[in-house]
């Protein structure tokens, strides 16, 4: 098992480590849009999430079994609980909300307010007190996210519970992140924990997908491209970097980088799907950058 104090000392000795991890986190977190854009045309969201988590877990399984310590049943149960919270309830909650016709722009905005919830939880649960400058940076980053998301916001006609589901999913992931940081002394290697998380999610997503039909994947190019993207970038890169960063840095600092995912997602859409960029998006990006810099530097 990796020694946490050694990792923290390493992080402090290398000032470029956090910028590198933050960049990878932003790329991985925002790239989920690309895989879903490719694959969702071919399959429902529950089937898509089932294959995303199943393939991720199966690829990691040989490494989880052969590299690293042998985990106890208690540790496996703990990690399975994190998998239910951070994979099944988080991803599945937002997917179900979109199926219930909650506007995608509103779902994305609520998801991207995750760092605000984590910042609020970090002090009472972890004792990680944010400075005034960090709270100001958080407020500025939220304003930037609102500017980026403003044009796509609408309220739609979904049932009231579906809107509550989006907020609940975001809060569940915030709680899971804080608990993961709190239990860092019992952490297993990231590839083992992520394997358990994704396989746990695949079982639950599979049960949900079965209620909607077959588990057979569409044998199409777009679905295959979407799966490759979702597994290797949106899952392996995003989650692995996120969990690694939580072990090295304060949780509020790590989560603040997620504020940059909306404008970076807009850049993905422009590069790959020729979706237009607006002046408001660039203004929101600039404001968000200032807020994230203030929060991380503090």
């Amino acid at each position: 098992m990796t020694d946490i104090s050694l990792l923290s000392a390493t992080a402090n000795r290398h000032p470029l480590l956090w910028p590198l991890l933050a960049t990878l986190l932003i790329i991985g977190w925002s790239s989920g849009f690309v895989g879903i854009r490719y694959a969702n045309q071919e399959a429902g969201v529950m089937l898509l999430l089932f294959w995303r988590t199943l393939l991720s877990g199966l690829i990691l399984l040989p490494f989880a079994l052969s590299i690293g310590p042998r985990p106890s049943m208690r540790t496996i149960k703990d990690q399975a609980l994190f998998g239910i919270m951070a994979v099944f309830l988080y991803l599945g909650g937002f997917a179900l909300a979109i199926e219930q016709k909650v506007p995608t722009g509103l779902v994305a905005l609520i998801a991207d307010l995750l760092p605000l919830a984590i910042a609020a939880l970090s002090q009472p649960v972890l004792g990680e007190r944010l400075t005034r400058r960090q709270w100001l940076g958080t407020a500025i980053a939220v304003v930037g996210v609102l500017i980026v998301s403003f044009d796509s916001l609408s309220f739609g006609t979904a049932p009231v519970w579906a809107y509550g589901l989006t907020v609940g999913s975001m809060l569940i992931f915030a709680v899971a992140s804080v608990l993961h940081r709190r239990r860092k002394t019992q952490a297993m290697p990231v590839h083992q924990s992520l394997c358990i998380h994704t396989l746990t999610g695949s079982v639950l997503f599979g049960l949900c997908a079965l209620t909607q039909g077959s588990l057979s994947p569409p044998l199409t190019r777009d679905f295959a491209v979407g799966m490759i993207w979702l597994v290797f970038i949106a899952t392996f890169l995003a989650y692995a970097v996120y969990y690694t960063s939580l072990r090295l840095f304060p949780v509020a600092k790590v989560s603040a980088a997620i504020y940059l995912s909306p404008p970076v997602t807009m850049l993905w859409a422009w590069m790959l799907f020729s979706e237009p960029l607006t002046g408001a998006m660039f203004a929101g990006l600039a404001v968000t950058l200032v807020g994230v810099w203030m929060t991380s530097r503090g």
Side-chain angles (χ1 to χ4, degrees):
M1 181 168 60
T2 304
D3 183 81
I4 301 301
S5 61
L6 179 59
L7 287 174
S8 299
T10 302
N12 291 330
R13 286 199 303 268
H14 293 80
L16 295 180
L17 180 60
W18 168 240
L20 174 61
L21 289 176
T23 300
L24 293 175
L25 177 61
I26 295 163
I27 292 173
W29 209 269
S30 62
S31 68
F33 163 80
V34 178
I36 292 175
R37 177 73 175 266
Y38 273 111
N40 191 223
Q41 302 299 319
E42 309 292 332
V45 288
M46 289 300 166
L47 184 62
L48 186 157
L49 291 173
F50 165 69
W51 281 104
R52 170 184 176 176
T53 52
L54 179 64
L55 291 174
S56 299
L58 291 179
I59 291 172
L60 288 172
L61 187 58
F63 303 99
L65 293 175
S66 60
I67 303 174
R70 182 176 180 178
S72 65
M73 285 304 301
R74 179 179 178 180
T75 304
I76 293 175
K77 290 178 181 178
D78 285 346
Q79 294 297 334
L81 177 60
F82 282 122
I84 292 173
M85 298 173 68
V87 176
F88 177 67
L89 294 178
Y90 177 64
L91 296 177
F94 285 119
L96 182 57
I98 292 173
E99 278 196 334
Q100 292 295 317
K101 308 303 181 185
V102 177
T104 304
L106 183 59
V107 171
L109 174 62
I110 294 173
D112 293 323
L113 293 180
L114 168 68
L116 182 60
I118 291 178
L121 288 170
S122 61
Q123 181 175 341
V125 178
L126 300 174
E128 295 180 357
R129 184 181 181 88
L130 271 69
T131 64
R132 289 184 178 180
R133 182 167 66 178
Q134 286 178 307
W135 278 117
L136 178 60
T138 296
I140 292 173
V142 170
V143 171
V145 171
L146 289 171
I147 293 173
V148 172
S149 306
F150 182 78
D151 288 340
S152 63
L153 286 182
S154 61
F155 285 96
T157 58
V160 174
W161 64 264
Y163 294 95
L165 186 63
T166 60
V167 177
S169 298
M170 181 269 290
L171 291 176
I172 286 171
F173 192 87
V175 171
S177 298
V178 172
L179 291 178
H180 190 276
R181 169 72 177 178
R182 185 177 183 179
R183 298 175 67 88
K184 62 183 179 180
T185 55
Q186 300 178 15
M188 62 169 58
V190 172
H191 67 283
Q192 289 183 324
S193 60
L194 187 55
C195 178
I196 296 173
H197 295 179
T198 51
L199 288 179
T200 301
S202 71
V203 172
L204 299 173
F205 284 131
L207 293 175
C208 294
L210 275 175
T211 65
Q212 301 175 349
S214 171
L215 293 180
S216 300
L219 300 179
T220 64
R221 176 184 174 276
D222 286 348
F223 186 81
V225 171
M227 278 297 107
I228 292 172
W229 199 282
L230 286 171
V231 169
F232 288 96
I233 301 180
T235 300
F236 289 170
L237 179 62
Y239 276 86
V241 172
Y242 185 69
Y243 288 141
T244 300
S245 299
L246 285 181
R247 299 183 184 185
L248 299 175
F249 302 99
V251 63
K253 178 176 181 175
V254 174
S255 63
I258 298 174
Y259 282 127
L260 287 170
S261 67
V264 174
T265 297
M266 304 294 181
L267 294 176
W268 280 118
W270 170 70
M271 289 188 295
L272 297 175
F273 307 115
S274 300
E275 294 188 5
L277 294 174
T278 66
M281 293 177 186
F282 286 106
L285 174 59
V287 172
T288 305
L289 278 170
V290 172
V292 172
W293 174 78
M294 290 179 66
T295 304
S296 298
R297 189 169 183 268

